Each structure stands twice: as structure tokens, then as C-alpha cells.
Amino acid sequence: MRWPGCPLPLYKASSIRCFPCCLALLHYGLQLWFSYWWLLRYRYGPMEWLWRSLTYGKRQAFQI
């Protein structure tokens, strides 16, 4: 039984629908890699560093 509203043959025939999913997975993988690289070198993320500096009223140490 086919589900209503699910044009499965059209989904398989169209490679355009696969592109956003692949792009999202690629973007997610790049974010994971970049955040790992960043946190090996720096103590905080850039916005967290800015927020802490403004909260404490003095410049916080940025690098480890």
C-alpha cells in the first residue's frame, strides 16, 4: 500500500531532491571538523569570548 502524498517514484527519479540532503550532511561534517580544530587551539568560541569579556568587563584570555 502506498502512503498518500508520498510520490516515491518521483523521488527516485529526481536527483535534485537528494542534493539538499547531501549538502546539509556536508555542512554538518564541516562544522564538526572546524569546531574540533578550533577548540584544540582556543579556550572559547569567538562569541563566547566576546560575551565573557563584556560580562566581566575585561579582556579574557583567548588562546589556551
Side-chain angles (χ1 to χ4, degrees), residues 9-55:
L10 289 177
Y11 188 80
K12 285 185 177 180
S14 175
S15 64
I16 295 173
R17 293 182 187 253
C18 183
F19 181 71
C21 292
C22 293
L23 193 62
L25 288 174
L26 176 68
H27 186 255
Y28 181 66
L30 288 173
Q31 283 183 332
L32 284 176
W33 173 80
F34 182 74
S35 62
Y36 176 76
W37 175 85
W38 182 273
L39 290 173
L40 283 177
R41 289 157 180 77
Y42 300 103
R43 187 179 309 238
Y44 308 116
M47 293 306 292
E48 183 181 1
W49 173 82
L50 180 64
W51 186 257
R52 284 176 181 261
S53 296
L54 292 173
T55 301

